[in-house]
Amino acid sequence: MARIDGKYEVLEERSQSGGQTIYQVRADPLAGAEAGELLRLSWFQVATPDERNAFHRYRAALKALAPEGLADVVARPGAYYAVWRDVPGLALAAFQAQPIKNETALSNLRDLAARLAAHGFALMDADIVMDGDEPQIAFLSPSTRTPQEAESLSAAALTPISQGKVRRQRPRGSVWSWVPGIACLVGAAYFGAQAGQIYLNPALADVPAVLGQDVKAAAGKLTGIGYRVQYVEGDDRNAALGAVIAQEPAAGSTLHLGRLITLTVNNPPSLTVPRLEEQTLDQVKQTLAENLLKLGSVSSVDGALSNTPKGRVVAQLPAPGAVIRRGQSVRLLISSGISVQQTWLPDLRGLPFDDARDLVRRAGLVVNSIKKEASDAAENTVLRQVPAAFSKVDVGSPVTLVLAQTRYQPPAVTTPPLPVPPVPVPDTTFDESGNAVSGAEGSPDAGSTPAAQPEFAPVGPGSDAPVTPVPATPTPEAPVSETPTPEAATPAQTPARIVPMTYTFPADLPAGTVEIVVRDDDGERIILPPTDSAQLRGAVAQRDDVSVRGNYGFTVRLNGQTYATFGP
């Protein structure tokens, strides 16, 4: 086991901060403490002249202050340390928590703070315990503060300690110590005599009328005269909540002061707030009257976010189902209508569908229906539009387009060509001179071209039977059969379905006009009309009845530009 300076056995290292290391040690018999006593040893790393001078100032302050917990302090080359023992007493934090403190203890604590400040130490540099009314220093850390800084810090630390009740110390044997007791005895005797007189012969007074008054005002009036008051609950639908509806004894009765008067307070049973949302103001008044409630303040808000028509309730306070007393009021938020902008629909007739749809979108409208009609115009050319051209409509309104469809033409069937027989070749022979001779009987005139003759097929050799000309049978080419290709069957239309839509607007949504559209196989349409972004920051747009067909997606537009997209 390691030892320090040959006389302290190191048990463990407690902490290390800067150039100071704190150990728990056990003292030897000749170490200035009892043999085997557990001590706290602060070892200082001193390597420079400044560090050595600082420790010598610290050692001088310890000797001047003479802390109760200091067991030993050593300053020699290679060994700079201070040894501390435990000091019994009440910790300063526990002393501060006491509800009542002795004046003497506070005075002694201030004196100790002044002594520490004179050497550059503040109260928080020392571990202080209270031994009765005497503060003792159990441990002191080195400090580099000036006396002024230490005094300022100690004053701040003493402020919360001095708060609370202080028990003053009076000199013993002083005649003034008897004065409070004598005064209390005299006062008790006087007030006892007065109380006895009032109890045995109380004064009489007329009971005032407090019916219809608020219970607090009525009780204050009666207790001001000298009566005692108790309460019971009652129910009177014609009286205000909390009003006095009966009193006992009755008004005008003569009653001794100090007697008890019973007041019956109007406190009807609780009611459940009905649902008022989507109702008109007249319907709300009727519903509240049926439930014995009152109409409170009414405020108007834009109904665009909740899609609430003008004049109907958007929200209420208290909420539906809340429990309140009869006669209480319900506050309302009434829709001022769905504020929309209007735009002009241009003339789309004769335009291709893509161009027409772009113009509709730029106008803030939505193509939600497309119809086909046979026409001689180019395919997908706009024939008609609803609303009509140059109509003034609300932004987000639907537009129906009638597009041209090529009239029906039967498929062309290719007729295979008829077979053409080959040109017959005459049987031509040549004589000895090289002249062509036709047939077996002779040749035509010189220079004449023999006519093409059909081939003959004899019946048989040596037969005198007439011969029948047999034309050569040509081998026709196999006709190429062209089977018309039927038009592709039109696929069945995808059925519509209902999907939910939920979108939370960010709290930092930029300024402008915001709308939400859905795009599917039927085109594009608005499901949240254009609304000022200031009303939507941090809000949640939610619908459970969006009808779509095929693939779909939602788009959030800010000032006509895509701000965000979301979908399934």
Side-chain angles (χ1 to χ4, degrees):
M1 187 69 67
R3 303 179 67 82
I4 294 179
D5 211 11
K7 54 184 178 180
Y8 297 104
E9 180 183 358
V10 177
L11 300 179
E12 64 175 330
E13 180 180 327
R14 289 290 186 86
S15 64
Q16 185 174 6
S17 175
Q20 180 182 7
T21 304
I22 298 179
Y23 300 94
Q24 184 181 20
V25 300
R26 180 181 289 113
D28 287 348
L30 300 178
E34 296 182 4
E37 182 180 2
L38 296 179
L39 304 171
R40 181 168 41 169
L41 187 146
S42 298
W43 180 269
F44 295 86
Q45 297 292 337
V46 177
T48 64
D50 291 341
E51 293 175 346
R52 183 167 56 254
N53 292 334
F55 185 82
H56 281 291
R57 287 194 299 270
Y58 173 60
R59 180 189 179 195
L62 292 180
K63 291 186 176 182
L65 293 171
E68 181 69 19
L70 183 63
D72 191 11
V73 58
V74 175
R76 67 170 181 269
Y80 297 88
Y81 61 89
V83 183
W84 302 86
R85 63 165 61 90
D86 292 335
V87 178
L90 183 65
L92 189 59
F95 175 76
Q96 179 180 347
Q98 290 182 340
I100 301 176
K101 305 176 184 67
N102 289 335
E103 184 182 21
T104 304
L106 292 176
S107 178
N108 294 337
L109 189 58
R110 294 189 188 96
D111 293 341
L112 178 60
R115 292 171 55 204
L116 288 171
H119 295 278
F121 295 94
L123 282 179
M124 58 280 300
D125 297 326
D127 291 347
I128 299 175
V129 297
M130 299 298 296
D131 183 10
D133 291 340
E134 291 294 331
Q136 302 292 346
I137 300 175
F139 182 81
L140 185 63
S141 299
S143 172
T144 58
R145 298 185 177 92
T146 64
Q148 292 77 11
E149 292 175 346
E151 182 178 0
S152 177
L153 293 174
S154 296
L158 285 171
T159 300
I161 299 176
S162 302
Q163 293 177 351
K165 295 183 180 180
V166 178
R167 183 181 294 112
R168 307 294 178 183
Q169 299 294 329
R170 295 185 179 88
R172 294 184 179 181
S174 174
V175 66
W176 296 106
S177 61
W178 297 90
V179 173
I182 296 174
C184 289
L185 290 175
V186 172
Y190 173 77
F191 288 111
Q194 292 294 325
Q197 182 179 0
I198 293 173
Y199 181 79
L200 296 175
N201 190 23
L204 293 173
D206 293 336
V207 177
V210 293
L211 292 179
Q213 299 182 14
D214 182 75
V215 62
K216 292 184 178 180
K221 185 175 182 179
L222 294 174
T223 55
I225 296 175
Y227 294 112
R228 294 181 295 117
V229 178
Q230 70 174 4
Y231 310 98
V232 294
E233 293 184 353
D235 185 8
D236 185 356
R237 69 173 55 184
N238 296 323
L241 182 66
V244 177
I245 58 177
Q247 66 181 84
E248 180 64 32
S253 302
T254 302
L255 188 67
H256 290 287
L257 297 180
R259 294 297 188 263
L260 186 66
I261 296 179
T262 301
L263 300 181
T264 303
V265 183
N266 185 30
N267 189 24
S270 301
L271 299 174
T272 301
V273 178
R275 181 180 180 85
L276 305 176
E277 296 175 358
E278 301 293 338
Q279 294 186 14
T280 63
L281 196 57
D282 293 337
Q283 293 172 337
V284 167
K285 292 179 180 178
Q286 181 178 356
T287 303
L288 293 178
E290 293 174 353
N291 288 271
L292 304 177
L293 298 173
K294 296 181 180 179
L295 178 62
S297 61
V298 178
S299 303
S300 297
V301 295
D302 189 1
L305 186 60
S306 59
N307 202 24
T308 305
K310 182 178 181 180
R312 294 190 177 270
V313 177
V314 176
Q316 64 183 86
L317 189 68
V323 177
I324 62 175
R325 295 289 185 180
R326 187 178 64 203
Q328 289 187 305
S329 60
V330 179
R331 293 181 289 173
L332 301 178
L333 291 179
I334 300 294
S335 172
S336 60
I338 302 175
S339 60
V340 296
Q341 300 176 354
Q342 289 192 323
T343 185
W344 296 93
L345 180 64
D347 188 0
L348 308 174
R349 291 171 296 180
L351 296 177
F353 170 71
D354 292 338
D355 296 343
R357 181 177 58 185
D358 290 342
L359 288 178
V360 170
R361 290 178 177 175
R362 292 177 184 177
L365 305 175
V366 180
V367 177
N368 71 333
S369 179
I370 299 174
K371 298 180 181 179
K372 296 281 189 175
E373 183 176 298
S375 174
D376 293 333
E379 185 79 10
N380 288 333
T381 299
V382 177
L383 301 178
R384 293 188 302 280
Q385 63 187 76
V386 178
F390 308 113
S391 298
K392 190 175 182 180
V393 295
D394 294 338
V395 173
S397 299
V399 176
T400 301
L401 299 180
V402 179
L403 305 181
Q405 184 178 25
T406 305
R407 299 183 185 279
Y408 174 78
Q409 296 180 354
V413 179
T414 304
T415 304
L418 296 176
V420 178
V423 178
V425 179
D427 186 9
T428 305
T429 58
F430 299 90
D431 56 14
E432 295 177 355
S433 300
N435 297 322
V437 179
S438 277
E441 297 297 331
S443 59
D445 297 337
S448 63
T449 302
Q453 299 293 331
E455 296 181 356
F456 295 92
V459 176
S463 174
D464 296 340
V467 294
T468 303
V470 180
T473 303
T475 304
E477 296 179 0
V480 180
S481 176
E482 295 185 4
T483 303
T485 303
E487 295 184 355
T490 303
Q493 191 177 29
T494 305
R497 62 189 187 278
I498 302 299
V499 298
M501 186 280 295
T502 301
Y503 180 75
T504 301
F505 291 95
D508 57 350
L509 184 66
T513 302
V514 179
E515 64 179 359
I516 299 180
V517 301
V518 62
R519 181 181 300 174
D520 58 2
D521 292 352
D522 290 340
E524 182 179 288
R525 54 194 177 277
I526 292 180
I527 57 176
L528 176 65
T531 306
D532 188 2
S533 61
Q535 303 179 17
L536 302 177
R537 294 188 180 104
V540 177
Q542 182 174 6
R543 286 187 56 176
D544 298 328
D545 57 348
V546 180
S547 177
V548 299
R549 192 186 307 276
N551 297 328
Y552 68 95
F554 299 100
T555 301
V556 181
R557 291 200 180 108
L558 177 64
N559 297 327
Q561 303 296 324
T562 299
Y563 178 75
T565 59
F566 60 99

